Amino acid sequence: MSIRNIITEPNKLLRQISKSVDGVGKEEQKLMDDMLETMYAANGIGLAAIQVGVPKRIIVMDISKNENKKEPRYFVNPVIKNKDPLNATYEEGCLSVPDQFAEIDRPSKCEVEYLDYDGNKKFLKAEGLLATCIQHEMDHLEGILFIDYLSKLKRSMIIKKLSKLKSSSAEA
Ligand code: GNR
Ligand code: NI
């Protein structure tokens, strides 16, 4: 396993639409292992493959927040089958939008069909933080970031701040 570099906004890669994978093979499993390690190292609760530069419809997640009892989840080719008409608000952050947080409204519950780490078809009914996180990650697969739900002014202020941070640091 190895830790990969997390791409941050502004970066065109984050706006790319990720492609479905043909099934879960060794390559996908290696990617999921790396993504999970990268996510834990960054103290995140979810990560989409495009955040490490791979445009595949693959997500890893662990909302357990307990170092001793890890509960990794893997979603390959996830599809949302149902969304609750009732919304819930959570303060969201994103590893690709460092140190920025905002309250975002999303359907409070959702149902997802996907393949797991072993390529088996699964169906999950999610609510609470899990539902929010799945929707946040699935947005990444469409090139959407949580800041896209903010006003133009707030979004452009955040992007400006992040570009300044980038130009003042050694890394691109
Ligand atoms: O670590 C993360 N925390 C988080 C908090 C509220 C809603 C969504 C998230 S996902 C985020 C990690 C990330 O950027 N995933 O794409
Ligand atoms: Ni994110």
Side-chain angles (χ1 to χ4, degrees):
M1 287 214 281
S2 42
I3 293 176
R4 303 200 189 189
N5 190 43
I6 297 177
I7 292 169
T8 59
E9 179 79 345
N11 188 312
K12 273 193 177 159
L13 267 175
L14 291 169
R15 300 310 185 167
Q16 203 165 312
I17 294 176
S18 295
K19 289 210 166 69
S20 295
V21 301
D22 227 5
V24 184
K26 282 266 144 60
E27 197 181 321
E28 285 72 30
Q29 291 181 333
K30 165 86 172 82
L31 174 62
M32 288 190 270
D33 293 343
D34 286 358
M35 284 169 62
L36 197 72
E37 194 182 6
T38 304
M39 182 194 82
Y40 284 138
N43 287 317
I45 58 171
L47 193 72
I50 194 62
Q51 294 180 272
V52 294
V54 181
K56 291 183 176 181
R57 301 185 82 84
I58 295 178
I59 289 163
V60 298
M61 221 178 280
D62 188 340
I63 60 162
S64 68
K65 283 273 171 194
N66 184 344
E67 288 248 18
N68 305 312
K69 215 174 115 196
K70 287 181 178 168
E71 286 174 32
R73 297 170 187 268
Y74 308 89
F75 300 86
V76 177
N77 295 345
V79 179
I80 293 200
K81 288 294 178 183
N82 211 3
K83 286 183 183 182
D84 199 289
L86 192 74
N87 275 357
T89 310
Y90 268 93
E91 179 166 76
E92 296 196 17
C94 181
L95 296 173
S96 295
V97 188
D99 302 322
Q100 307 300 317
F101 303 90
E103 305 235 305
I104 305 293
D105 277 1
R106 298 183 189 270
S108 61
K109 300 177 186 177
C110 64
E111 300 175 354
V112 200
E113 203 176 82
Y114 60 98
L115 301 178
D116 67 10
Y117 188 86
D118 300 308
N120 296 318
K121 203 165 183 172
K122 289 283 174 71
F123 187 80
L124 175 73
K125 292 185 181 188
E127 57 178 71
L129 181 59
L130 182 61
T132 293
C133 193
I134 288 174
Q135 294 173 71
H136 173 115
E137 302 311 335
M138 289 193 59
D139 271 355
H140 278 299
L141 308 185
E142 302 302 322
I144 298 168
L145 301 173
F146 81 92
I147 53 171
D148 298 348
Y149 299 109
L150 304 176
S151 68
K152 258 191 180 170
L153 180 65
K154 279 187 182 165
R155 184 169 67 245
S156 60
M157 273 168 32
I158 288 174
I159 292 173
K160 203 166 152 186
K161 218 184 276 177
L162 294 176
S163 352
K164 274 190 186 164
L165 276 174
K166 273 193 180 181
S167 55
S168 67
S169 73
E171 263 191 296

